[in-house]
Amino acid sequence: MLFLVAALLLLGVVMGTVAHAPLGFSLAAAVVIAAWLGIFALRERHGRRRHTSTH
């Protein structure tokens, strides 16, 4: 529960920061974050697939 409260607090801080940032910066940051999450998801998927096939 504490994790959820901290996550919501952090989301509020980030959303407040984005509201004051220029649109171009916000879009660039969104693209970088989306790419990072996509790469992370692919690495996790590949790692789990390889890990489960050896057992």
Side-chain angles (χ1 to χ4, degrees):
M1 185 67 165
L2 185 60
F3 176 76
L4 181 61
V5 171
L8 288 173
L9 179 66
L10 183 61
L11 179 64
V13 170
V14 171
M15 292 303 290
T17 303
V18 169
H20 296 287
L23 182 61
F25 174 78
S26 298
L27 292 176
V31 168
V32 169
I33 292 169
W36 177 67
L37 288 174
I39 292 168
F40 176 77
L42 288 174
R43 289 181 64 194
E44 284 292 313
R45 185 180 212 181
H46 179 68
R48 288 185 188 198
R49 190 177 292 165
R50 195 170 86 182
H51 182 68
T52 56
S53 64
T54 59
H55 285 284

